[in-house]
Amino acid sequence: MAYELAPLPYDYAALEPFIDAVTMHLHHDKHHQTYVNNLNAALASHPELAAKPLTTSSAASIRSRGNSPRSPQQRRRRGQPQHLLDPDGKVGSDGVGGAPTGPIAAQIKADFGDFEAFKKTFNETTAKQFGSGWGWLVFTGGKLKVITTPNQDSPLSQGLYPILLNDIWEHAYYLKYQNRRPDYLAAWWNVINWHEVNKRFAVAKG
């Protein structure tokens, strides 16, 4: 069965003023749709890959991908991370934006000291990622860790389950923030869905 792009579960302007509606239209309707189309094209003639879910269970197949950029494994990698990234919150609702709540808040305090220290670590680490890529929060070895990956790479390829992420491809922020990536990172904390982060944290802990 082919993958389909799920409708955005809130209004395109719901993330204003932090992320503008024009960027949301372009990112969801154009960029994300292209990733889904590419994923389907890559899987169409490779049922052995299509049968694997887009979850941690597919990490082994990603790690064993061919070296050719035209290989089905490589094209699957390019389509996979973006297809996992639909938010499901609504800005202004309980648990969206602001400080974290629940188990993730306690783990952040244990591993970083407090939320402000965590934000500083995440922002500084992610801002330094050269070119296009991602900033991630993962849980490994019993602790939270901030990492970055370039281009379309996902922590799944390292056997890590992503809990929280920030998209630092230029098309994610350039219309509103131009080259001011640190400003985008600072604003982004206002629209995080901590309910979803807590659900992903529970999965990562097993």
Side-chain angles (χ1 to χ4, degrees), residues 1-118:
M1 179 181 295
Y3 289 97
E4 296 182 359
L5 178 62
L8 197 68
Y10 45 78
D11 188 81
Y12 288 95
L15 307 185
E16 295 272 11
F18 310 108
I19 301 177
D20 59 286
V22 174
T23 293
M24 292 301 298
H25 272 288
L26 290 172
H27 201 279
H28 180 268
D29 300 353
K30 303 298 184 181
H31 289 287
H32 199 164
Q33 183 65 65
T34 297
Y35 288 126
V36 174
N37 294 345
N38 289 344
L39 176 61
N40 286 327
L43 298 179
S45 57
H46 296 278
E48 77 281 5
L49 293 177
K52 296 179 181 294
L54 295 179
T55 62
T56 52
S57 64
S58 63
S61 70
I62 298 172
R63 287 197 296 271
S64 64
R65 65 184 180 272
N67 292 325
S68 168
R70 296 181 180 274
S71 71
Q73 292 90 348
Q74 185 84 339
R75 284 179 286 155
R76 176 182 170 89
R77 177 176 66 102
R78 289 178 178 178
Q80 183 190 55
Q82 290 81 359
H83 193 61
L84 289 170
L85 304 184
D86 275 342
D88 66 355
K90 182 174 178 57
V91 175
S93 65
D94 182 44
V96 178
T101 58
I104 193 65
Q107 192 69 47
I108 286 173
K109 183 176 181 180
D111 293 337
F112 295 94
D114 57 35
F115 179 51
E116 291 304 315
F118 164 60

Side-chain angles (χ1 to χ4, degrees), residues 127 173-187:
Y173 65 88
Y174 215 81
L175 287 178
K176 183 175 180 66
Y177 295 97
Q178 293 83 48
N179 64 323
R180 304 189 308 275
R181 182 184 286 181
D183 290 354
Y184 161 65
L185 288 166

